[in-house]
Amino acid sequence: MVSYLSPNADEGVKRRILDYLGVGSVEELYVDVPSEILLKEPPDIGRGMNHIELERLVDSLLPKPPRLIFTGGGVADHYVPPLVDEIASRQEFYTSYTPYQPELSQGMLQALFEYQSLMAELLGMEVVNASLYDYGSALGEAGRFSMRVTRRRKIVIASSVNPERKAVLRTYLDPLNAEIVEAPMDRESGCISLDHLRPLIDDSTAMVYIEMPNFYGIIEEGAEDVFELAHSKGAIAAAGVDPLLAALIKPPGELGADLVVGEGQHLGSPMSFGGPSLGIFAIRMDMRFVRQLPGRLIGMTKTQEGLYRGYCMVLQTREQHIRKEEATSNITTSSSLMAVRAAIYITLLGPEGLRKLAEKIAYNTAYLRKRLSELDSFSVPFKGAAFKELAVSSSVPWERVNSHLLSRGVLGGFIVSRFFPEMDMGMNISLFSTTEKHGKSEIDELINLMREVS
């Protein structure tokens, strides 16, 4: 009997296939391949193996995974409580799609409503949508949102914004003929320069945007002043935030932000080679804003007789539904499963847990900065307060440093000049990150290894 799952060497089957193809032999299929590179005999790959033996062989050939991850500039290595997996793997949640018949899925709608409510409280904002794709798409939508609301076309962003998100923003706004202007940062503090920012904001400005922390890990200490400048010209004050930072400092809503975007992947989801992600989009309660909100908004309601609580989709701006040509966004698949995971994570930790977690990261960042200052060949170029990420300059080639670290099972810094030379500014910068997964001994080990290549 011939298996339909295994390689088929049955001569009768081969003959029928060759006849169907109209060729006389298997070799005739390869007449276009030069004969000198065709093998005359099957390659010697040894004896056949069972699954266990094959796994053992592959494991022996693969490089060992790193023990410690300090690489910055992107997804950081956070701890995910096993209970998040346990709850999120329930079949009611295990879909990445917001249902097309949403009211039939009351449990999913309630979970997304809880996500919106928890995120709004964390960020100090009043309205949060049911999620977007990622941080970058949320920023792109923010740019288009601000242009629709203000009917202006100028976007002012800090030069210290993550360059990948800058590129996404430009892609989103290019068809609208928007003008994107970058405000320089202060080279000493790493924060945006208010003196340079002030003349860039005028009556044509739709949005002023900063990030906390910015690409170099620096917290914008003058965020309230930036938002006041935006408001003074009728522009939307927007911030990109790490939601964990909002558990430690005054949240962006209290700082005066009208619009907040961010990444929520690290709230209960694994790194997964960079994705999937969770785009956060939040606004203050203003019906001019709400009507222009991209994505979907889940609301709570009651049955007709008022006896039972229920959930429904109260806003959806996609073109294929009722908005048609008046759609304000073409976002289709939201990151619903990631949003549910974030809701579970935030609920498990609670306000105190989130604050302790953020404090641990802040302490680690400060300790890493202190220990780096002891090394002769390395320095931290910016004096501003940092959170989770730290820009480090080196007089030693970073390739050499990272190679040494990797040989000891440690992933080193992200070399900025390799991908974004304009962000390096000639300072030979690598971005390091530290999270709650690091203790004092792990940071000490990193420093000791870096000292060996100083």
Side-chain angles (χ1 to χ4, degrees), residues 119-407:
M119 192 59 73
E121 189 172 348
L122 181 58
L123 301 176
M125 302 297 285
E126 292 159 313
V127 182
V128 176
N129 75 5
S131 75
L132 298 177
Y133 298 135
D134 57 17
Y135 200 162
S137 65
L139 176 57
E141 291 286 350
R144 298 179 73 101
F145 169 94
S146 65
M147 294 176 69
R148 290 195 302 272
V149 170
T150 64
R151 299 183 183 278
R152 299 173 178 179
R153 51 179 291 276
K154 183 177 179 181
I155 306 291
V156 179
I157 64 173
S159 63
S160 54
V161 167
N162 184 298
E164 288 185 322
R165 287 192 282 278
K166 284 183 193 174
V168 175
L169 178 66
R170 292 184 191 283
T171 301
Y172 266 72
L173 299 189
D174 184 63
L176 302 179
N177 196 29
E179 179 189 8
I180 300 177
V181 179
E182 291 193 21
M185 70 176 195
D186 177 72
R187 293 282 290 265
E188 184 174 347
S189 67
C191 297
I192 192 169
S193 166
L194 291 175
D195 290 338
H196 288 95
L197 174 67
R198 192 171 288 106
L200 298 177
I201 305 174
D202 55 31
D203 294 339
S204 68
T205 305
M207 180 176 80
V208 180
Y209 175 73
I210 57 173
E211 291 188 344
M212 298 186 294
N214 64 26
F215 181 63
Y216 304 104
I218 302 297
I219 302 170
E220 293 288 355
E221 296 177 7
E224 285 178 292
D225 297 328
V226 172
F227 297 156
E228 283 183 14
L229 279 175
H231 290 154
S232 70
K233 296 295 182 181
I236 289 176
V241 299
D242 182 332
L244 290 179
L245 179 62
L248 184 63
I249 66 172
K250 193 184 285 188
E254 293 183 23
L255 291 172
D258 303 308
L259 190 162
V260 177
V261 297
E263 177 59 59
Q265 180 271 341
H266 54 298
L267 303 179
S269 294
M271 299 175 79
S272 300
F273 300 98
S277 299
L278 169 61
I280 300 168
F281 198 102
I283 54 174
R284 64 181 170 82
M285 186 58 195
D286 180 325
M287 288 312 294
R288 288 183 312 140
F289 287 15
V290 174
R291 292 186 186 285
Q292 297 295 333
L293 188 72
R296 295 157 178 173
L297 194 60
I298 309 302
M300 186 168 66
T301 185
K302 290 183 178 177
T303 54
Q304 249 183 338
E305 64 276 14
L307 296 178
Y308 301 103
R309 185 171 59 189
Y311 298 88
C312 59
M313 192 176 291
V314 296
L315 180 77
Q316 182 167 227
T317 55
R318 189 185 173 194
E319 75 284 359
Q320 81 176 58
H321 296 287
I322 194 167
R323 299 297 291 267
K324 297 184 184 299
E325 69 274 11
E326 294 180 357
T328 54
S329 165
N330 69 345
I331 290 287
T332 55
T333 309
S334 61
S335 295
S336 298
L337 180 60
M338 312 300 285
V340 171
R341 293 183 68 96
I344 297 168
Y345 180 86
I346 294 172
T347 304
L348 287 174
L349 269 68
E352 284 301 314
L354 286 171
R355 182 172 179 84
K356 287 180 180 176
L357 174 62
E359 286 177 349
K360 168 71 172 170
I361 295 171
Y363 291 148
N364 275 357
T365 312
Y367 184 67
L368 177 59
R369 180 197 289 257
K370 175 178 177 296
R371 292 302 317 272
L372 282 164
S373 68
E374 300 167 6
L375 302 179
D376 294 333
S377 303
F378 303 94
S379 63
V380 177
F382 307 119
K383 294 181 178 176
F387 181 78
K388 192 159 76 177
E389 300 255 341
L390 208 55
V392 182
S393 288
S394 172
S395 59
V396 182
W398 279 113
E399 289 79 4
R400 187 177 144 206
V401 179
N402 284 351
S403 176
H404 180 66
L405 293 175
L406 190 58
S407 70

